Amino acid sequence: MKERVKNTFLKYTSMDCESLQERQIADALIGELKALGFEVQEDDAGEKIGGNTGNLYAFKKGTKEGEPVLLAAHMDTVKPGVGKHSVLNEKEMFLSNGKTVLGGDDVCGITAILEGIRTIVTKGIPHVDIEVIFFVAEEMHCKGSSEFNFSKIKARYGYVLDLEGAPGLAAVQAPTSTGFWVTVQGKAAHAGFCPEKGIHAIAIAAEAITKVSQGRIDEETTRNIGQIEGGMATNIVPESCRCIGEIRSLAYEKVQKGLEEIRQVFTETALKYGAKIEMKTHENYRGYKTGRDEPVVKRFEAACRHMNLEPKIVTTFGGSDLNKLSQHGVTGVVLSCGMQNVHSIKEYAYLEDVVNTTKLVTQLIREY
């Protein structure tokens, strides 16, 4: 198994698959899944979100009775992800070339799913129906899974392999994330001849920002204004300024309360100077919380103990495709799969961790 896992990981981390450009990895996965006996479908999510690839849904009929098991991961990586080439060093760590991300997020999950299923198939181990979904554009606030037809899923319970850390962690709770765009509309004027005739949109936005609480609001909530855009030239009083941010919270109502507070602060500040604002919001994904007594959690804990791993149940502040799955009736957890230092060129993964995640997937399937 170790050699198979190594080769599969090296194969898929050598493919360029930044968000919206997952064609190469998808074609390879379609071939692998069909070779393992799966029926594979690709949807039209790519067309809808401006990409070149759709989500992959695969189904393999079971050899025994029982409820189906669902396994999922995502195909895309963050930038910089063009020209990826991973290596395995003397410590059996997978590393990138130092100029791109490694792509262990989420090839660690992809490898574990493929090789875990391959173990089941090649050893002739009896199994229930298996469903696999490889999503696109997860790194873009789950744009791919937002377009997925969840009605085709048969499983009630699922495992998404997309959490940083050595195997043994399961995230049972994640936040709601909502983005917001606030545009301050002032008035342009010549900055040299008659600045007093203008209404300085950037200055108004800056004043409003200082009144908005940011960072960690409480143990459940974070808030951030991460982008500011405005102005045309240094000799023009800026007529418009747009502020872009997000709110995350484990409590849905705190997201809504935060959005209303931001709207009020910007509105009041703008009115003081004779300006106006326009505010738009978009829910990136809805939070979920899976109970500790749910079968999906119990099976994870049993599989870990079978492997002499101590299972750990955690809360994450990151989103994943499970946020979308949970909105459509699938109860699940997000599993750690060996990725470390993700979203950076210093990303790495230990071969042993990916092998153990593969064994965990195998055992999870056997738990059904």
Side-chain angles (χ1 to χ4, degrees):
M1 175 187 284
K2 183 177 180 180
E3 190 67 15
R4 290 203 328 261
V5 169
K6 180 189 78 173
N7 291 336
T8 297
F9 188 92
L10 291 172
K11 171 184 176 180
Y12 284 100
T13 50
S14 71
M15 298 178 184
D16 293 343
C17 48
E18 289 182 347
S19 301
L20 305 180
Q21 300 296 317
E22 301 96 340
R23 185 71 268 156
Q24 182 184 13
I25 192 170
D27 288 342
L29 287 169
I30 290 170
E32 293 238 31
L33 289 165
K34 287 183 176 179
L36 288 169
F38 282 82
E39 302 170 13
V40 185
Q41 302 172 17
E42 179 176 347
D43 67 17
D44 61 353
E47 298 174 19
K48 292 179 178 178
I49 63 177
N52 64 4
T53 314
N55 300 301
L56 302 183
Y57 170 81
F59 175 81
K60 182 175 177 62
K61 183 66 179 174
T63 58
K64 70 175 185 179
E65 294 296 321
E67 59 181 300
V69 58
L70 171 65
L71 302 165
H74 65 86
M75 294 183 277
D76 62 316
T77 69
V78 297
K79 298 179 179 181
V82 175
K84 291 198 283 83
H85 175 69
S86 62
V87 296
L88 185 65
N89 70 10
E90 67 280 358
K91 296 181 180 179
E92 295 199 317
M93 292 172 61
F94 292 109
L95 302 169
S96 76
N97 58 16
K99 298 179 181 179
T100 70
V101 295
L102 172 64
D105 180 7
D106 197 14
V107 171
C108 286
I110 289 171
T111 299
I113 291 172
L114 287 177
E115 295 305 327
I117 293 171
R118 198 184 312 278
T119 299
I120 294 289
V121 173
T122 56
K123 292 188 176 182
I125 299 171
H127 63 84
V128 296
D129 293 350
I130 302 173
E131 294 180 285
V132 174
I133 308 176
F134 291 130
F135 291 108
V136 294
E138 186 274 346
E139 300 292 4
M140 300 176 72
H141 295 304
C142 305
K143 274 193 172 183
S145 52
S146 294
E147 301 296 338
F148 186 75
N149 178 11
F150 291 92
S151 66
K152 66 179 61 179
I153 296 176
K154 300 173 177 62
R156 292 187 298 157
Y157 302 105
Y159 301 92
V160 175
L161 283 84
D162 189 19
L163 185 65
E164 188 170 8
L169 303 178
V172 298
Q173 186 175 16
T176 294
S177 169
T178 297
F180 59 85
W181 296 258
V182 184
T183 300
V184 178
Q185 194 65 37
K187 182 180 178 183
H190 195 290
F193 295 141
C194 53
E196 64 279 355
K197 292 183 178 180
I199 300 176
H200 203 295
I202 293 178
I204 294 168
E207 182 176 326
I209 289 171
T210 64
K211 299 175 182 177
V212 173
S213 298
Q214 296 190 65
R216 189 167 299 283
I217 307 304
D218 57 40
E219 62 182 11
E220 295 184 310
T221 311
T222 61
R223 188 185 298 164
N224 185 58
I225 296 175
Q227 289 180 272
I228 303 174
E229 305 168 345
M232 297 293 290
T234 59
N235 62 350
I236 303 174
V237 175
E239 183 176 33
S240 178
C241 182
R242 186 170 71 155
C243 304
I244 307 172
E246 68 158 31
I247 300 178
R248 298 189 188 200
S249 184
L250 299 174
Y252 178 79
E253 62 275 10
K254 290 184 178 180
V255 174
Q256 306 312 308
K257 180 180 178 181
L259 292 171
E260 187 52 40
E261 288 177 1
I262 290 169
R263 186 189 301 275
Q264 183 175 345
V265 167
F266 272 84
T267 298
E268 292 176 353
T269 306
L271 285 174
K272 186 168 66 172
Y273 298 99
K276 298 178 181 179
I277 74 144
E278 180 183 7
M279 183 171 175
K280 297 179 180 179
T281 65
H282 174 73
E283 184 176 285
N284 299 318
Y285 44 79
R286 185 72 59 90
Y288 69 85
K289 185 175 183 179
T290 302
R292 292 288 298 268
D293 292 331
E294 290 283 357
V296 69
V297 178
K298 295 298 185 183
R299 286 167 176 152
F300 161 74
E301 292 175 329
C304 284
R305 293 192 176 104
H306 180 86
M307 295 175 55
N308 294 318
L309 285 175
E310 184 59 36
K312 296 181 180 178
I313 306 301
V314 300
T315 294
T316 178
F317 250 79
S320 74
D321 292 309
L322 182 58
N323 288 73
K324 298 295 184 180
L325 285 161
S326 66
Q327 280 186 263
H328 294 85
V330 178
T331 301
V333 294
V334 182
L335 302 183
S336 57
C337 48
M339 60 178 82
Q340 304 282 359
N341 281 354
V342 299
H343 293 197
S344 78
I345 61 174
K346 294 184 179 180
E347 183 185 7
Y348 68 91
Y350 284 103
L351 174 58
E352 181 182 11
D353 284 344
V354 186
V355 169
N356 284 335
T357 306
T358 301
K359 292 178 179 177
L360 182 61
V361 168
T362 304
Q363 188 58 37
L364 282 171
I365 296 172
R366 299 183 74 164
E367 290 291 328
Y368 280 75

